[in-house]
Amino acid sequence: MNELTQVDLLNNDLALFNIEFNNLKKFYTFYDENEIWNFIKIHPGIIVLLNEYEKYLKKYFSNAVFELRFDEDCSGTWFDLIVLTVWVDEETFYNGSMEYISKINRELRPLRRKLNLLGEVSLTKRILK
């Protein structure tokens, strides 16, 4: 099944959407589940995108914690988005993590274009303490 068909199904079937949304919690930590649900409900392709991110994150950041947070643009001039934070140890943070993030972003850019999600998800890194 192609990605746009998956988005259509998620958009038209609330039960399926909720199942797939809850499946995200097996890999990602949610900062505020209700805010994330509300935003992803408007942009169901984010579920498809996050499933692809998971494959890359497992490959490059095996010992990290992955957190999703909704970031609301209070000024109204930019975009609301989901921030995907990769929490890594200090050594990983300073030794290669930016290259991995750049590689993931580059490789997923075509899918983001296809899903029309160029500004709705941001991948960043932080040091896990």
Side-chain angles (χ1 to χ4, degrees), residues 30-71:
F30 287 37
Y31 182 77
D32 183 324
E33 185 174 333
N34 290 330
E35 286 184 333
I36 294 168
W37 189 95
N38 289 330
F39 188 71
I40 292 178
K41 185 63 181 127
I42 296 168
H43 306 283
I46 291 175
I47 290 175
V48 176
L49 182 61
L50 289 174
N51 287 334
E52 286 300 310
Y53 266 113
E54 181 179 340
K55 297 171 190 173
Y56 288 91
L57 294 170
K58 284 178 179 177
K59 179 179 178 180
Y60 295 116
F61 299 102
S62 59
N63 295 320
V65 174
F66 308 101
E67 179 188 67
L68 299 177
R69 178 177 46 88
F70 173 71
D71 188 20

Side-chain angles (χ1 to χ4, degrees), residues 49-103:
L49 182 61
L50 289 174
N51 287 334
E52 286 300 310
Y53 266 113
E54 181 179 340
K55 297 171 190 173
Y56 288 91
L57 294 170
K58 284 178 179 177
K59 179 179 178 180
Y60 295 116
F61 299 102
S62 59
N63 295 320
V65 174
F66 308 101
E67 179 188 67
L68 299 177
R69 178 177 46 88
F70 173 71
D71 188 20
E72 182 176 21
D73 175 27
C74 296
S75 71
T77 57
W78 296 97
F79 298 100
D80 296 340
L81 55 92
I82 296 293
V83 177
L84 168 50
T85 303
V86 179
W87 292 91
V88 295
D89 60 74
E90 192 169 350
E91 182 180 342
T92 303
F93 184 87
Y94 291 112
N95 295 300
S97 61
M98 197 64 235
E99 289 81 8
Y100 293 144
I101 286 175
S102 295
K103 183 177 178 88

Side-chain angles (χ1 to χ4, degrees), residues 111-128:
L111 177 60
R112 291 178 71 142
R113 281 191 187 115
K114 184 176 186 179
L115 297 172
N116 197 26
L117 295 172
L118 291 172
E120 285 74 14
V121 178
S122 173
L123 179 59
T124 187
K125 63 179 182 164
R126 298 284 184 264
I127 296 175
L128 183 62

